[in-house]
């Protein structure tokens, strides 16, 4: 027992060390955003500024290219995409896990194999399709593809397979159909997995830079990653402003993670029950 406790203690300190190493850059970023330009490269590092300088944060939110518009665009794209992804992934996962049909497993493997296709390969076909559909340089060019996620279908399918089949069978005996079973029985049981998928998908869309760079031209449509890049290009020596802009971009992700961290752990654990 003593040896086990010592091993746990050592492992805890190792994990704590790596946790601190990962957090230090974020602390420096936030600290720098409140410093004066003369204190940015001061050595030793002044982790807590003697005086808080709000000038750079005010510049980010009220300057010529305010981050407020970028925030609204990212919230719009991320929210609609997440709602669509959660609903469509759950429906597809229910079909792959609960409905018996010929070739189901083979079809799922083919669908899953699409995860191996690099997303960059699809930029040209997407560009042609979006141009033909008239949604190029609109938010729909990011929202519509974002509603379909292979990872989401895989994760939800694994969770649905962990739910006892007797629940569905009992509902069938009582005369319930697939849609009723899905919305009234299976979906309420999948709240941890749904929350996990929503948080992961929201993070992906909020941080998506490549698709926004390729499919958005109008600056009024820019998302937070594009707005941050645009700010850096225009203020390439304003390190305090860059850190203030980066802090503004990461705050929503920190809030989302703090709110949903327990759901992430529950959802991933549940989805890993069956493979």
């Amino acid at each position: 027992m003593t040896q086990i406790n010592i091993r746990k203690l050592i492992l805890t300190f190792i994990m704590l060390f790596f946790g601190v190493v990962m957090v230090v850059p974020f602390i420096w970023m936030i600290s720098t955003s409140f410093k004066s330009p003369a204190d940015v490269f001061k050595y030793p590092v002044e982790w807590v500024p003697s005086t808080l300088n709000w000038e750079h944060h005010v510049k980010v939110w009220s300057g010529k290219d305010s981050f407020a518009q970028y925030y609204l665009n990212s919230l719009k794209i991320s929210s609609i995409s997440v709602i669509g992804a959660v609903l469509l992934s759950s429906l597809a996962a229910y079909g792959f896990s609960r409905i018996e049909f010929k070739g189901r497993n083979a079809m799922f493997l083919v669908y899953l194999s699409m995860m191996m296709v690099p997303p960059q390969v699809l930029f040209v076909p997407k560009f042609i399709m979006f141009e033909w559909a008239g949604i190029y340089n609109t938010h729909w060019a990011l929202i519509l593809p974002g509603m379909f996620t292979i990872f989401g279908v895989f994760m939800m399918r694994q969770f649905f397979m962990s739910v006892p089949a007797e629940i569905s069978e009992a509902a069938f005996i009582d005369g319930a159909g697939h849609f009723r079973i899905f919305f009234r029985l299976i979906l309420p049981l999948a709240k941890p997995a749904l929350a996990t998928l929503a948080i992961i998908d929201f993070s992906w869309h909020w941080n998506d830079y490549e698709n926004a760079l390729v499919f958005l031209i109008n600056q009024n449509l820019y998302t937070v990653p594009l707005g941050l890049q645009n700010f850096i290009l225009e203020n390439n020596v304003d390190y305090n402003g860059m850190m203030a802009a980066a802090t503004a971009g990461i705050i929503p992700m920190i809030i989302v993670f703090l709110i949903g961290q327990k759901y992430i752990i529950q959802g991933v654990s549940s989805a890993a029950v069956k493979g």
Side-chain angles (χ1 to χ4, degrees):
M1 290 297 295
T2 304
Q3 291 181 347
I4 294 175
N5 291 334
I6 293 175
R7 289 177 182 176
K8 288 183 177 180
L9 186 62
I10 294 174
L11 182 61
T12 300
F13 277 112
I14 293 175
M15 298 300 293
L16 178 63
F17 170 77
F18 283 108
V20 171
V21 170
M22 293 180 66
V23 170
V24 164
F26 295 101
I27 297 176
W28 183 86
M29 175 184 70
I30 297 172
S31 174
T32 303
S33 69
F34 288 102
K35 293 179 181 178
S36 62
D39 295 334
V40 173
F41 298 107
K42 188 176 180 180
Y43 186 82
V45 178
E46 189 180 39
W47 294 103
V48 180
S50 55
T51 57
L52 296 180
N53 189 343
W54 292 89
E55 174 188 349
H56 310 289
H57 289 273
V58 172
K59 178 182 178 181
V60 167
W61 289 102
S62 61
K64 181 180 66 173
D65 299 321
S66 174
F67 260 60
Q69 183 63 48
Y70 305 145
Y71 258 66
L72 291 176
N73 292 338
S74 287
L75 283 174
K76 172 187 173 183
I77 294 170
S78 301
S79 301
I80 299 176
S81 298
V82 166
I83 293 172
V86 169
L87 178 60
L88 295 177
S89 296
S90 300
L91 286 170
Y94 179 84
F96 281 124
S97 61
R98 294 289 171 169
I99 301 177
E100 295 287 345
F101 57 90
K102 188 175 181 180
R104 183 186 70 174
N105 293 333
M107 184 182 296
F108 180 71
L109 287 176
V110 172
Y111 181 76
L112 205 60
S113 67
M114 296 301 294
M115 293 183 68
M116 295 185 293
V117 178
Q120 293 81 6
V121 175
L122 303 176
F123 281 156
V124 174
K126 282 183 178 180
F127 175 83
I128 296 174
M129 292 177 61
F130 295 161
E131 187 72 24
W132 172 79
I135 61 173
Y136 178 71
N137 194 32
T138 69
H139 287 158
W140 289 109
L142 303 182
I143 293 174
L144 292 178
M147 291 183 176
F148 301 91
T149 162
I150 300 174
F151 169 77
V153 174
F154 170 75
M155 193 185 78
M156 295 306 301
R157 173 185 177 271
Q158 299 307 99
F159 184 89
F160 290 160
M161 289 182 66
S162 68
V163 178
E166 289 78 7
I167 296 177
S168 300
E169 294 172 358
F172 273 122
I173 294 174
D174 291 337
H178 282 297
F179 279 100
R180 188 173 183 181
I181 293 173
F182 174 74
F183 285 107
R184 299 292 296 275
L185 294 177
I186 303 298
L187 211 57
L189 295 174
K191 287 181 180 179
L194 292 173
T196 303
L197 175 58
I199 293 169
I200 294 175
D201 202 57
F202 182 88
S203 303
W204 166 255
H205 291 295
W206 185 270
N207 296 316
D208 186 14
Y209 174 75
E210 286 185 337
N211 286 291
L213 179 65
V214 173
F215 300 122
L216 297 180
I217 300 176
N218 189 344
Q219 189 169 339
N220 293 327
L221 300 175
Y222 278 9
T223 57
V224 168
L226 280 184
L228 179 59
Q229 178 65 21
N230 188 55
F231 183 90
I232 292 174
L233 291 176
E234 293 183 357
N235 304 271
N236 55 5
V237 293
D238 184 4
Y239 298 106
N240 304 87
M242 292 180 194
M243 295 303 104
T247 302
I250 202 173
I251 285 176
M253 297 310 310
I254 295 176
I255 294 174
V256 168
F257 178 77
L258 291 177
I259 293 175
Q261 59 177 328
K262 66 176 182 179
Y263 295 108
I264 293 179
I265 297 172
Q266 292 176 6
V268 172
S269 301
S270 300
V273 172
K274 287 190 176 183

